[in-house]
Amino acid sequence: ITNKEDREQGLAIVAWARNNRRGINEHLRHPYPSYFSVMLLARAGFPNQAREALYSSNRAGGEDPTNLNELRHAALGHIALLQGQTAKAISLLNEGFRGIHGDMIPQYFLTADTLARAYETQGRQQAALEVLEQASRERSQIVDSAAGAYLIWD
């Protein structure tokens, strides 16, 4: 990948899939302004970097406008969960999960996984299972066309 920002974000995805927190932080040290970077940083446990990436993403406005509100909600939900605000996180993650579509495949599956974890935190295993089942049904429809889904979901 010749674009440095895309390469770094791709390497951060690989680091996340390998549960390598340090690698995520290293590759997103100067994050490409995207809500996906926010999500990855929050999931890796870096609240300050996630908020910084959120601020950059809000200012940059370079993402697909059809999914922008949903991506922002999902990113905010990831941060809220990291901060222990589970009810707020579930509300925001649900908005993102229901609205992310199109070519936002890694964001969709990461949000599904985080939403399920938030439900589990509240002891709502059935709700967590329903989210994961819905994402699994989606996966079967799109996995052939998206290498990112393999990294995120397998």
Side-chain angles (χ1 to χ4, degrees), residues 4-16 18 20-32 37 40-41 46:
K4 182 182 186 307
E5 292 156 341
D6 289 345
R7 182 177 58 250
E8 291 300 316
Q9 189 163 2
L11 290 169
I13 293 169
V14 171
W16 181 80
R18 293 180 173 173
N20 178 355
R21 290 183 60 235
R22 193 177 82 199
I24 294 168
N25 192 36
E26 178 183 319
H27 292 294
L28 295 178
R29 184 171 292 127
H30 303 288
Y32 174 75
S37 294
L40 286 172
L41 288 164
F46 298 106

Side-chain angles (χ1 to χ4, degrees), residues 89-147:
I90 287 173
S91 175
L92 289 164
L93 289 164
N94 255 318
E95 289 181 49
F97 181 65
R98 286 192 313 266
I100 296 172
H101 52 78
D103 63 352
M104 300 292 165
I105 294 162
Q107 295 88 327
Y108 176 81
F109 288 112
L110 185 59
T111 299
D113 185 62
T114 304
L115 178 57
R117 288 172 187 243
Y119 280 133
E120 287 176 343
T121 299
Q122 287 190 331
R124 297 169 61 188
Q125 275 67 25
Q126 185 60 39
L129 182 61
E130 289 171 9
V131 167
L132 295 175
E133 286 174 342
Q134 180 180 341
S136 181
R137 284 190 299 275
E138 287 289 321
R139 179 183 190 255
S140 67
Q141 296 174 16
I142 60 177
V143 76
D144 291 335
S145 65

